[in-house]
Amino acid sequence: MSPVLAGVLQLLALLVALGLSYRPLGDYMARVYSSEKHLRVEKWIYKGIGANPSVEMRWPAYLRGVLAFSAVSVLFLYLLQRVQGSLPGSLGFVSIDPDQAFNTAASFVANTNWQSYYGEQAMGHVVQTGGLAVQNFVSAAVGIAVAVALVRGFARSRTGELGNFWSDLVRGTVRILLPISVIGALVLVACGAIQNFAGIHEVGQFMGGTQQWNGGAVASQEVIKELGTNGGGYFNANSSHPFENPNGLSNLFEIYLILVIPFALTRTFGRMVGSLKQGYAILGTMAAIWLGFTALMMWTEFAHNGPAFDIAGGAMEGKETRFGIGGSSIFAVATTLTSTGAVNSFHSSYTGFGGGITMLGMQLGEIAPGGVGSGLYGMLIMAIIAVFIAGLMVGRTPEYLGKKIGTREIKFAACYILITPALVLCFTAVAMALDTPSNSMTNSGAHGFSEILYAYTSGANNNGSAFAGLNADTQWFNSTIGIAMLLGRFLPMVFVLALAGSLAEQTPVPETAGTLRTEKPLFTGLLVGTILIITGLTYFPALALGPLAEGLAA
């Protein structure tokens, strides 16, 4: 079988699996967040944290819950790393330095999972399971909760109440993420991923000699890092490591885990606002961008350019032979168009245009389909922008889902889309202007610039993947990328929740002959164009200095 055909068949199998999951999972999540009943285990959790799940919250109270929970999570994870050397199961590893502990705590709480350390050489079992894995669950649940709050803003009227954050957080964890993770971990173990609490031991090598390896609860952490679009690897090689991702079947399953909840949330959205067609329109937009990026990535990586590429069947540098170009390309697009950041190949070794595609996927705002929760609310923000532009074209007050998009709403949406580009471009400019950050670049020229641009793009957009070659374990990068991750995660949430509160207070506007039909393919095309134009105008100059210059010079 040719490598191209193998890649196409993998893509088709993935589409079938996602299609079969879309309706049942989307409807189930809608029921989870609409039900008034609480499970017994959930009641125990509410009692333990002192929360009343039945109290409705307006957007300031909901936001305070998000920020307070996240702040405590950052502090807890930071302290856990700082005392690691005194904990049981530390495997002899010392405590983490302050700047790196801050970076890692900010990273996992912000659903970014950027790692400036070697996982198997730095973190013991307690930190991995009690700290990092726990945050993989709850940070994902926070993202879904904020998305659901925005959906309620569209669905409700004449009230500013958006639900209860603590109830949404607990339900997302207990009823959605945990059950799927248990099943997924069993699948990964059956595929060959490891799951143990073994210590450090020596293993033989094929060419003679030995090397040291440590075990860990890898399968259970691997499944939630993909399902929750987190991305941090138990090992430094991440999802290219055979203990995390043993074969082609596990690779395809992990891609499925990355995409299944973000795509299914569009069904949840349609169900909760009372119009499945609106959910299909958002799904169509996400799917069009994702399929387009996947096709471009496979084309640029399969394209032969010289005898080395001819012999290998394409650009195989930095890719695992057990996955091939097809499996690696699909994974790379899935992980950068969501906020996952897990990698099964090294994006720095992709062709110039291939590396640019991964970078552009994050710069779109990771909305196709995006991270769990963050992808949906990011796409809905872009839908509001698209509706506003359409309203300007025809001279009519824009409306979306029966809600007027006035001055207040468009200001919130505009602030949302400006935050991450400002963080990415400002931090990149400062890093390139100073001597110390630029000394961390292994490569000079366009590729070296791409390393730094990719790092801040990944951090501010809460992705977590990286271009190999950049030494990010410095005080500068640990501190600035940590700040970018926190601001890039929580500042947008401020405007999302403020927008949700504003929409929930409105009285629904009746549909007329002049109302823009946002469930039609025409609107899907307008939305895709709006996303590409806004991103292009924002990032094209920076991309021209990095991946585009490198690709054209190849």
Side-chain angles (χ1 to χ4, degrees):
M1 183 184 298
S2 71
V4 176
L5 179 59
V8 172
L9 291 177
Q10 289 181 67
L11 182 59
L12 291 176
L14 179 62
L15 288 172
V16 170
L18 291 171
L20 293 174
S21 306
Y22 177 75
R23 181 172 181 173
L25 180 58
D27 289 346
Y28 172 70
M29 290 191 291
R31 291 194 299 271
V32 165
Y33 291 105
S34 301
S35 173
E36 296 182 357
K37 296 182 179 180
H38 305 290
L39 301 180
R40 180 175 298 179
V41 65
E42 293 172 350
K43 293 179 181 179
W44 293 342
I45 296 173
Y46 299 140
K47 186 175 181 180
I49 62 178
N52 184 349
S54 301
V55 174
E56 289 278 338
M57 296 179 173
R58 299 177 68 86
W59 79 263
Y62 203 101
L63 176 63
R64 285 195 297 270
V66 170
L67 297 180
F69 177 77
S70 300
V72 171
S73 297
V74 171
L75 180 60
F76 170 77
L77 189 51
Y78 174 83
L79 293 176
L80 193 65
Q81 294 174 83
R82 294 292 294 136
V83 300
Q84 175 180 247
S86 303
L87 296 175
S90 64
L91 302 178
F93 298 142
V94 299
S95 298
I96 308 300
D97 292 335
D99 58 307
Q100 192 172 66
F102 163 72
N103 180 278
T104 304
S107 175
F108 278 76
V109 173
N111 197 241
T112 309
N113 295 34
W114 170 274
Q115 295 172 290
S116 61
Y117 58 89
Y118 298 99
E120 67 269 37
Q121 300 178 20
M123 302 295 183
H125 293 322
V126 173
V127 174
Q128 289 276 21
T129 56
L132 306 185
V134 168
Q135 289 306 316
N136 282 348
F137 280 97
V138 295
S139 66
V142 168
I144 302 177
V146 173
V148 169
L150 179 58
V151 173
R152 291 192 185 114
F154 284 110
R156 297 180 177 183
S157 59
R158 294 181 291 272
T159 177
E161 296 174 344
L162 302 176
N164 184 283
F165 167 70
W166 304 107
S167 175
D168 293 339
L169 172 70
V170 173
R171 289 184 179 195
T173 304
V174 173
R175 301 192 196 183
I176 299 172
L177 298 174
L178 271 172
I180 300 176
S181 294
V182 170
I183 298 172
L186 294 175
V187 172
L188 288 180
V189 169
C191 289
I194 68 170
Q195 180 76 10
N196 57 56
F197 288 101
I200 297 176
H201 54 280
E202 290 190 351
V203 295
Q205 297 177 303
F206 288 115
M207 302 301 292
T210 61
Q211 64 182 121
Q212 290 186 333
W213 283 107
N214 57 285
V218 176
S220 58
Q221 188 158 325
E222 187 75 12
V223 67
I224 187 55
K225 91 171 190 186
E226 312 294 14
L227 182 67
T229 59
N230 298 284
Y234 205 101
F235 299 98
N236 183 52
N238 210 288
S239 293
S240 64
H241 198 290
F243 288 177
E244 293 192 21
N245 192 2
N247 50 52
L249 179 60
S250 66
N251 186 66
L252 199 61
F253 180 64
E254 290 185 14
I255 301 172
Y256 166 81
L257 290 173
I258 291 171
L259 299 172
V260 64
I261 289 181
F263 273 130
L265 275 172
T266 62
R267 172 90 180 183
T268 304
F269 162 69
R271 182 68 71 186
M272 292 182 70
V273 299
S275 174
L276 292 177
K277 291 183 179 180
Q278 296 289 346
Y280 293 147
I282 298 299
L283 172 66
T285 305
M286 291 178 172
I289 296 175
W290 174 64
L291 286 171
F293 270 60
T294 302
L296 283 173
M297 179 66 82
M298 293 180 72
W299 171 77
T300 189
E301 296 304 299
F302 274 119
H304 295 183
N305 185 17
F309 288 141
D310 288 331
I311 295 172
M316 277 298 295
E317 180 186 342
K319 300 179 179 69
E320 283 289 326
T321 56
R322 65 184 189 276
F323 306 141
I325 292 176
S328 299
S329 298
I330 299 170
F331 199 112
V333 171
T335 196
T336 51
L337 275 176
T338 64
S339 64
T340 310
V343 293
N344 74 342
S345 55
F346 288 95
H347 297 173
S348 182
S349 295
Y350 277 48
T351 61
F353 290 131
I357 290 170
T358 62
M359 204 179 304
L360 181 61
M362 294 184 290
Q363 292 168 348
L364 290 181
E366 296 172 328
I367 53 177
V372 287
S374 61
L376 178 60
Y377 65 66
M379 183 60 80
L380 292 177
I381 294 290
M382 296 305 299
I384 288 173
I385 298 292
V387 167
F388 178 74
I389 293 173
L392 292 178
M393 291 179 178
V394 299
R396 177 184 171 89
T397 302
E399 303 164 9
Y400 186 53
L401 298 178
K403 302 296 179 71
K404 285 189 175 182
I405 308 302
T407 303
R408 185 182 184 190
E409 289 76 22
I410 204 64
K411 284 180 178 178
F412 289 144
C415 289
Y416 175 93
I417 64 175
L418 288 173
I419 290 170
T420 50
L423 291 171
V424 171
L425 298 176
C426 289
F427 275 124
T428 300
V430 173
M432 292 301 298
L434 299 178
D435 291 334
T436 301
S438 59
N439 290 338
S440 294
M441 296 189 306
T442 304
N443 301 279
S444 59
H447 194 82
F449 174 77
S450 294
E451 291 175 357
I452 290 183
L453 177 63
Y454 193 107
Y456 286 111
T457 298
S458 178
N461 285 283
N462 302 132
N463 183 271
S465 63
F467 258 23
L470 180 69
N471 175 24
D473 186 16
T474 66
Q475 288 189 352
W476 167 266
F477 283 114
N478 279 332
S479 301
T480 57
I481 294 177
I483 293 170
M485 289 186 291
L486 291 175
L487 295 179
R489 173 69 167 179
F490 296 109
L491 274 183
M493 287 183 175
V494 173
F495 298 109
V496 169
L497 292 173
L499 175 63
S502 178
L503 294 171
E505 292 172 352
Q506 291 190 26
T507 300
V509 179
E511 186 176 298
T512 66
T515 301
L516 176 65
R517 301 297 297 273
T518 53
E519 78 280 9
K520 298 294 185 179
L522 178 62
F523 178 72
T524 297
L526 173 64
L527 183 51
V528 171
T530 300
I531 292 166
L532 296 178
I533 289 172
I534 289 176
T535 305
L537 292 175
T538 303
Y539 286 106
F540 181 78
L543 291 171
L545 294 173
L548 288 179
E550 184 180 358
L552 292 172

